[in-house]
Amino acid sequence: MDAEAQESFREFVANRSSALLKTAVLLSGGDRHAGEDLLQNALIKAAGRWHRIDEPEAYVRQVLYRQQVSRWRLKWPRRELSVAEPPETGTDPDTSGAAELRLVMRGALARLTARQRTVLVLRYFEDLPEGEVARLLGCSVGTVRSATHRSLARLRALAPELAVLGPAADEQRPSRDYSPVEVRQ
């Protein structure tokens, strides 16, 4: 990679890595470390092809999705077990409802299968149409529809408190942080 391409890649990583990390964390079930690993692997692949990529963000996102699909297709998934999470920072009482919603959503997403989580993240967090999700996951639109329906049903069963938190937290809700269920209830 020449100096100009290196600078372009560094600039892309500096500008877009936080948004890409949010998607990677969601795809990995709220596990920040797994999300960082997922993003790092995607960026490594992008760096190797940087001079041939027309739309870098679209390319990196597609690599993220495909890597996640590959992970849930593994016969024996490699998982690390987290034992503790740091507490939420900030003590502003006005955001407690939104923080509680994020924690409940993160926990519920973590209990879904990787496939269910991936479908929900692509449909509701990334706001992709069914056809695009089907293309990215290599399946039919009907499969995406049924997987989305089943995933939402399972998410609601795992965390019925989301229905209670959702409408009450509308005024305090942050921008699309871990909240695909609120879109279609």
Side-chain angles (χ1 to χ4, degrees), residues 108-122:
L109 283 173
R111 291 183 281 174
L112 294 175
T113 66
R115 181 181 181 101
Q116 290 171 331
R117 189 171 44 250
T118 301
V119 168
L120 291 180
V121 167
L122 291 175

Side-chain angles (χ1 to χ4, degrees), residues 21-114:
L21 180 59
K22 285 182 183 179
T23 300
V25 169
L26 285 170
L27 288 171
S28 59
D31 183 351
R32 184 171 176 88
H33 298 293
E36 289 171 349
D37 289 344
L38 191 65
L39 178 59
Q40 185 67 34
N41 289 336
L43 290 174
I44 288 170
K45 288 185 179 190
R49 298 175 166 259
W50 191 251
H51 61 281
R52 291 181 269 167
I53 299 174
D54 294 329
E55 295 183 36
E57 186 163 354
Y59 180 85
V60 171
R61 286 184 183 276
Q62 187 165 25
V63 171
L64 284 173
Y65 307 144
R66 290 190 174 176
Q67 283 182 335
Q68 185 60 29
V69 168
S70 295
R71 285 184 179 181
W72 49 260
R73 285 184 178 159
L74 288 175
K75 192 171 186 175
W76 294 282
R78 296 169 289 196
R79 297 180 190 231
E80 293 181 17
L81 185 60
S82 299
V83 292
E85 284 193 28
E88 288 288 325
T89 58
T91 58
D92 187 9
D94 294 338
T95 62
S96 63
E100 185 178 348
L101 179 63
R102 279 195 310 274
L103 290 172
V104 169
M105 180 58 74
R106 183 178 295 155
L109 283 173
R111 291 183 281 174
L112 294 175
T113 66

Side-chain angles (χ1 to χ4, degrees), residues 78-179:
R78 296 169 289 196
R79 297 180 190 231
E80 293 181 17
L81 185 60
S82 299
V83 292
E85 284 193 28
E88 288 288 325
T89 58
T91 58
D92 187 9
D94 294 338
T95 62
S96 63
E100 185 178 348
L101 179 63
R102 279 195 310 274
L103 290 172
V104 169
M105 180 58 74
R106 183 178 295 155
L109 283 173
R111 291 183 281 174
L112 294 175
T113 66
R115 181 181 181 101
Q116 290 171 331
R117 189 171 44 250
T118 301
V119 168
L120 291 180
V121 167
L122 291 175
R123 283 288 291 132
Y124 299 111
F125 182 75
E126 292 292 318
D127 202 25
L128 295 177
E130 291 169 337
E132 181 66 13
V133 173
R135 187 185 67 74
L136 287 170
L137 299 180
C139 62
S140 70
V141 172
T143 301
V144 170
R145 287 180 183 154
S146 63
T148 302
H149 176 75
R150 289 185 190 119
S151 300
L152 284 173
R154 178 154 157 83
L155 188 64
R156 289 182 186 121
L158 288 172
E161 60 269 32
L162 289 175
V164 175
L165 290 175
D170 277 342
E171 301 84 32
Q172 302 170 351
R173 184 166 290 127
S175 62
R176 303 182 76 155
D177 269 352
Y178 306 111
S179 50

